[in-house]
């Protein structure tokens, strides 16, 4: 009986040590994944801002810009993207479209078009033939 108890205690100690190792490995992996996700979110925010400002090549802008002012606030929000992109545009204006050039002369205000207005349709208000036609189009993947 005492041998069984000692064997169970050794087994429990081994399993506890194994569990601690697994918990530590899990925490390290979660920290790595979280950091990678935060870097991806920052990169996407910078890329979106570069595209909004009319960058010819947003990836080139991201590589050449100073990212020291870009980071995360205490609330978990991204800060400094607009300022960093404005500094990049000021320093390397050739990477961006000219807002006063030919695009402005043609009536384009920027690189990002305005979204179209949403057209809500109620299927209950359609005629039977119109409903059947829209249903076929929807099921066929046309609309």
């Amino acid at each position: 009986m005492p041998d069984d108890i000692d064997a169970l205690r050794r087994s429990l100690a081994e399993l506890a040590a194994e569990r601690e190792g697994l918990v530590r490995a899990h925490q390290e992996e979660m920290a790595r994944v979280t950091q990678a996700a935060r870097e991806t979110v920052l990169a996407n925010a910078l890329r979106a801002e570069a595209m909004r400002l009319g960058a010819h090549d947003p990836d080139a802008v991201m590589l050449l810009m100073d990212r020291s002012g870009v980071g995360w606030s205490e609330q978990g929000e991204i800060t400094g993207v607009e300022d960093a992109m404005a500094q990049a545009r000021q320093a390397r204006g050739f990477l961006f479209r000219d807002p006063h050039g030919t695009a402005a002369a043609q009536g384009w205000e920027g690189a990002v078009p305005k979204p179209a207005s949403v057209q809500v349709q109620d299927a209950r208000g359609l005629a039977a033939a119109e409903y059947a036609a829209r249903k076929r189009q929807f099921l066929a993947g046309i609309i």
Side-chain angles (χ1 to χ4, degrees), residues 41-121:
V41 169
L42 277 176
N44 287 337
L46 290 170
R47 187 175 289 112
E49 184 67 13
M51 291 171 65
R52 188 185 71 77
L53 291 176
H56 294 294
D57 187 359
D59 293 326
V61 173
M62 288 174 45
L63 291 173
L64 296 173
M65 71 181 291
D66 179 23
R67 290 186 175 191
S68 61
V70 179
W72 293 88
S73 70
E74 292 295 322
Q75 294 80 19
E77 298 175 356
I78 300 173
T79 60
V81 172
E82 294 85 9
D83 296 334
M85 201 57 66
Q87 290 174 357
R89 187 172 191 169
Q90 182 79 21
R92 293 180 174 86
F94 62 90
L95 293 173
F96 297 88
R97 290 181 184 86
D98 183 15
H100 305 293
T102 58
Q106 294 176 357
W108 297 349
E109 292 299 320
V112 180
K114 293 182 181 178
S117 61
V118 177
Q119 298 177 354
V120 179
Q121 293 183 355

Side-chain angles (χ1 to χ4, degrees), residues 1-15:
M1 183 83 165
D3 294 335
D4 293 339
I5 292 174
D6 291 339
L8 286 174
R9 285 185 180 152
R10 281 192 305 272
S11 175
L12 179 64
E14 290 171 3
L15 291 173

